[in-house]
Amino acid sequence: MAGPHAPGTPAARWKRHIVRQLQQRDRAQKALFLELVPAYNRLLEKAALLARFSEKLQPEPNSVVPVSCQGPWEEELGTDSDELPSPATLRMKWQEEEKGLQLVCGEMAFQAVEKSAALGTLELELEVRRDRLAALEAQVAQLRATREQQLRQVEARRAHNEQLRAAYDELRAHAGLREAALRRREEEARELLERLVQSKARAAAERNLRNERRERAKQSRVSQELRKAAKRTVSISENPSPNDPSEDGVREAAKSVVPASQAQALEKEAVETRRRSFRSASATSLTLSRCVAVVKGLLDFKKRRGHSIGGTPEQRYQSLPVCMIARLPTWAQDVRDAHLSEVNAVRFGPHSSLLATGGADCLIHLWNVVGGRLKANQTLEGAGGSITSVDFDPSGTQVLAATYSQAAQLWKVGESQSKETLSGHTDKVTAAKFKLTRHQAVTGSRDRTVKEWDLYRACCSRTIHVLSYCNDVVCGDHVIISGHNDQKIRFWDSRGPRCTQIIPMQGRVTSLSLSQDQLHLLSCSRDDTLKVIDLRASNIRQVFRADGFKCASDWTKAVFSPDKHYVLAGSGDGVLYIWDVDTGKLESTLRGPHCSAINAVAWCYSGGHVVSVDQARKVVLWS
């Protein structure tokens, strides 16, 4: 590598530039003196010459100047001049010229002094610049050394990066092989699962066929036994045992088993044989118990007609008994900071003693309502994102939650870890509700789909594609109702693939609530109104507004009271508003612990308590 003063280097170039600048300045300043110094020298010479002439022309006493003598001054006067000036005139003239020359010499001497001083200043400035140039050269040398060191570090880093890149390429190739193996394993598992499902379906079909054959054979046997029982004579002893059925029950059983004419004959025969004491009560009770068992078997057979494909009956839960009178809440009975961040969802269990709250801290807390207080029961963990909705199954043994992790989570009450993860959505899941059975659920998402789930197999059984993303869903007997961001409520037949009805709103739908009798639907929307829709006539029955009520977010929830006489919603200013459904008037407002927007409310099925949750982590129990 070239040295710091080698020719051609940047240092040599800028040094030459400085030298050229100094030389140019020297020439420019010297040019000013080049004309001045010769003129000054000429003046000095001329002054010296005039002095010598003046000394020579000093007249001696009694001397006469010869006429033929001519000097230079005479030449100036001209050769044609007839008269010569006198010496005194010439002396005066010489003295004046001498004074002028002295003045000029003084001025030139002063200018020379000034130029000398300026030259000294410039020399000092040149010295300063030379010192600065030396300092800059030292700094440049130091920077060059630092640059060389950094270049060496860059080379070392580049070599290290090359090693890391090679290791990364190797790991990437290894990961690609692992991913390919994983895909093969997943395909094999999928094929095995499909074969398993097909084998289970075939086994279930065969089992159903065997059950049908068995039931038909049993039905034929029952028919034969009924025909035999109709022909058989039944006698009753006079002193039946306490465990035997009563006369009226036996008579009713006989009437239900045999025809009317034969029943009358049997009744007459029974009256006649009451007096016969030699008939044993055991035979009579055996015959009657056999008849009752036959009738019971028929009833059980009718009940088993609704079995599912797997042979296990699908347990459907009837709606909970409607509360006759719901008490209006008046005061805050308990206030808790339940979560680490805002609380988004709240739901009462079907027995009104268990409460679930879900928040943005990815946790679900279960609470027991004991003596007007909230007592912590359990914490459900395992959700991958913020909780947006919670729901209990009709039996109260399972909890379903919608999360921002593009999935819904299922827990069993009593177990802290998630039981199932319902994954399949491609965006945030905003609503998750059970249907009338504990093994079916519906979810709505911002990916513009509504999905039905079979919780037996933890798989999606149906996907409904919608033009707008869903904010909330509710389920009836054979209908799924979804509220959307495009200001529409859509009705979907769970037995068919298409939308059966669309009801437009004046704002984005934030929540839906179905009454216990499934005849009315409550909607809350961002136009700060609540509407009650009569599902029998498919029209809006009542619209609720109030001064100060504001729907604060796209997930604000409103609910019916259990007796369907009131509707309840929380406002953005932390106030609860209660309207009368029949009159449409504002019944009451509740102000208290809430200092921020209320996200959701819940009214227990017994009608005695109301719970509200807000964005400031508070859970308030009202009574």
Side-chain angles (χ1 to χ4, degrees):
M1 182 177 291
H5 301 288
T9 61
R13 286 196 295 270
W14 65 263
K15 284 182 179 180
R16 287 198 299 272
H17 177 72
I18 292 176
V19 170
R20 283 196 299 271
Q21 293 291 331
L22 292 174
Q23 290 176 353
Q24 184 177 0
R25 189 186 66 180
D26 190 22
R27 286 194 297 270
Q29 293 179 356
K30 188 184 292 185
L32 299 175
F33 295 98
L34 289 177
E35 297 179 358
L36 183 63
V37 172
Y40 180 70
N41 292 333
R42 284 195 301 272
L43 289 174
L44 290 176
E45 291 175 357
K46 192 177 289 187
L49 181 61
L50 290 174
R52 286 196 299 271
F53 281 142
S54 63
E55 289 177 358
K56 290 180 180 181
L57 292 176
Q58 288 291 336
E60 294 180 358
N62 301 321
S63 63
V64 179
V65 179
V67 177
S68 60
C69 294
Q70 291 183 353
W73 61 91
E74 293 177 347
E75 293 178 359
E76 294 179 0
L77 295 175
T79 57
D80 296 334
S81 175
D82 294 335
E83 296 181 359
L84 293 173
S86 63
T89 304
L90 291 174
R91 187 178 294 110
M92 291 177 62
K93 185 176 180 180
W94 288 342
Q95 289 177 357
E96 291 176 357
E97 291 181 357
E98 185 178 3
K99 289 180 180 180
L101 290 174
Q102 288 178 358
L103 290 174
V104 172
C105 290
E107 290 178 358
M108 295 184 69
F110 180 73
Q111 291 179 1
V113 171
E114 286 183 349
K115 296 296 182 182
S116 299
L119 183 61
T121 304
L122 292 175
E123 287 179 353
L124 291 176
E125 185 178 357
L126 180 61
E127 291 296 328
V128 171
R129 292 192 177 185
R130 284 176 180 173
D131 295 340
R132 184 180 177 186
L133 179 61
L136 291 175
E137 288 178 352
Q139 185 177 1
V140 166
Q142 183 180 0
L143 291 175
R144 188 177 289 110
T146 304
R147 179 176 176 272
E148 294 295 332
Q149 183 180 0
Q150 290 180 353
L151 286 175
R152 289 193 296 271
Q153 292 179 358
V154 167
E155 292 296 332
R157 293 288 178 86
R158 187 177 289 112
H160 183 62
N161 289 339
E162 291 295 333
Q163 295 178 358
L164 291 178
R165 183 178 298 172
Y168 171 73
D169 293 337
E170 184 179 358
L171 290 175
R172 188 174 181 180
H174 185 64
L177 296 176
R178 290 296 181 89
E179 287 180 357
L182 177 62
R183 284 194 294 271
R184 288 196 299 272
R185 293 280 188 259
E186 289 178 350
E187 290 177 358
E188 293 175 359
R190 194 179 298 109
E191 291 177 358
L192 289 175
L193 181 61
E194 290 178 356
R195 288 201 295 269
L196 178 62
V197 171
Q198 291 175 1
S199 63
K200 285 187 176 181
R202 287 194 297 269
E206 293 176 358
R207 187 163 54 251
N208 289 339
L209 184 59
R210 288 196 300 270
N211 290 336
E212 290 290 336
R213 291 174 180 173
R214 190 180 301 112
E215 295 298 339
R216 290 174 184 172
K218 187 173 182 180
Q219 187 177 7
S220 63
R221 288 196 303 271
V222 167
S223 300
Q224 292 177 2
E225 290 179 359
L226 284 175
R227 285 194 294 270
K228 291 179 181 179
K231 297 177 181 179
R232 187 176 301 156
T233 301
V234 180
S235 299
I236 302 176
S237 62
E238 290 184 8
N239 299 318
S241 64
N243 295 328
D244 291 338
S246 63
E247 265 187 78
D248 296 335
V250 172
R251 189 176 295 112
E252 293 297 330
K255 288 182 181 179
S256 63
V257 173
V258 298
S261 59
Q262 294 183 4
Q264 293 177 0
L266 287 174
E267 187 176 358
K268 291 180 181 179
E269 187 175 356
V271 173
E272 292 177 356
T273 55
R274 282 179 188 172
R275 302 170 184 175
R276 301 177 184 177
S277 59
F278 61 90
R279 296 295 301 268
S280 65
S282 60
T284 305
S285 61
L286 179 61
T287 305
L288 292 176
S289 62
R290 188 173 182 181
C291 294
V292 173
V294 169
V295 176
K296 188 176 180 181
L298 281 174
L299 295 176
D300 292 339
F301 172 73
K302 291 181 179 179
K303 288 181 181 179
R304 287 192 297 268
R305 296 292 292 176
H307 289 186
S308 63
I309 189 171
T312 305
E314 181 74 17
Q315 187 177 6
R316 296 180 64 86
Y317 292 86
Q318 300 295 329
S319 299
L320 293 173
V322 177
C323 176
M324 297 304 296
I325 298 176
R327 297 194 303 271
L328 287 177
T330 56
W331 61 289
Q333 203 166 10
D334 194 7
V335 180
R336 296 292 183 95
D337 287 335
H339 291 260
L340 301 178
S341 57
E342 65 176 311
V343 190
N344 297 326
V346 61
R347 186 78 171 184
F348 271 102
H351 304 296
S352 300
S353 61
L354 190 62
L355 176 73
T357 59
D361 56 357
C362 309
L363 296 176
I364 294 179
H365 293 302
L366 299 183
W367 310 83
N368 287 328
V369 181
V370 180
R373 296 288 178 181
L374 293 175
K375 182 179 180 182
N377 182 319
Q378 186 183 0
T379 299
L380 305 182
E381 302 174 349
S386 299
I387 307 298
T388 58
S389 170
V390 293
D391 190 28
F392 283 95
D393 73 333
S395 66
T397 59
Q398 295 184 114
V399 177
L400 182 66
T403 68
Y404 271 12
S405 61
Q406 303 179 6
Q409 300 289 134
L410 181 66
W411 287 268
K412 187 175 181 180
V413 175
E415 299 178 0
S416 61
Q417 294 299 323
S418 176
K419 176 183 175 183
E420 295 288 351
T421 299
L422 308 180
S423 58
H425 288 286
T426 59
D427 204 340
K428 301 173 183 177
V429 181
T430 55
K433 298 292 179 61
F434 282 100
K435 298 182 75 174
L436 295 182
T437 64
R438 62 192 298 262
H439 301 297
Q440 290 180 335
V442 177
T443 58
S445 170
R446 291 199 173 186
D447 61 359
R448 295 179 174 83
T449 62
V450 176
K451 291 181 179 289
E452 293 187 63
W453 300 88
D454 183 356
L455 301 183
Y456 269 129
R457 298 182 297 169
C459 66
C460 178
S461 59
R462 180 189 178 193
T463 300
I464 302 172
H465 295 277
V466 198
L467 297 176
S468 176
Y469 66 75
C470 176
N471 286 330
D472 200 5
V473 295
V474 291
C475 303
D477 287 333
H478 301 293
V479 67
I480 299 172
I481 308 173
S482 56
H484 297 272
N485 197 58
D486 61 353
Q487 306 178 9
K488 290 182 176 63
I489 298 175
R490 292 176 170 87
F491 294 76
W492 310 89
D493 190 345
S494 59
R495 298 165 296 183
R498 62 187 182 86
C499 178
T500 59
Q501 188 179 2
I502 297 177
I503 298 179
M505 297 285 111
Q506 281 72 41
R508 297 194 298 271
V509 181
T510 65
S511 74
L512 299 174
S513 177
L514 193 62
S515 63
Q516 291 290 334
D517 56 7
Q518 300 185 15
L519 299 180
H520 294 88
L521 178 70
L522 174 66
S523 71
C524 179
S525 55
R526 290 306 299 271
D527 60 347
D528 301 331
T529 62
L530 278 71
K531 299 177 180 65
V532 174
I533 301 172
D534 191 342
L535 299 181
R536 294 168 295 185
S538 299
N539 59 4
I540 298 176
R541 173 185 169 185
Q542 199 66 264
V543 179
F544 304 103
R545 295 185 180 87
D547 294 336
F549 175 74
K550 183 176 179 59
C551 184
S553 63
D554 287 349
W555 52 88
T556 300
K557 306 300 181 187
V559 295
F560 274 117
S561 65
D563 58 357
K564 205 179 67 174
H565 288 165
Y566 305 102
V567 294
L568 171 68
S571 176
D573 56 357
V575 180
L576 287 178
Y577 289 80
I578 303 175
W579 289 271
D580 191 304
V581 173
D582 296 327
T583 62
K585 295 181 180 179
L586 182 64
E587 189 70 23
S588 66
T589 57
L590 300 178
R591 301 177 183 271
H594 291 295
C595 300
S596 61
I598 297 176
N599 285 333
V601 292
W603 206 318
C604 71
Y605 292 98
S606 63
H609 297 289
V610 167
V611 173
S612 57
V613 297
D614 64 10
Q615 296 179 2
R617 306 181 300 169
K618 282 187 173 59
V619 177
V620 181
L621 177 66
W622 303 83
S623 179

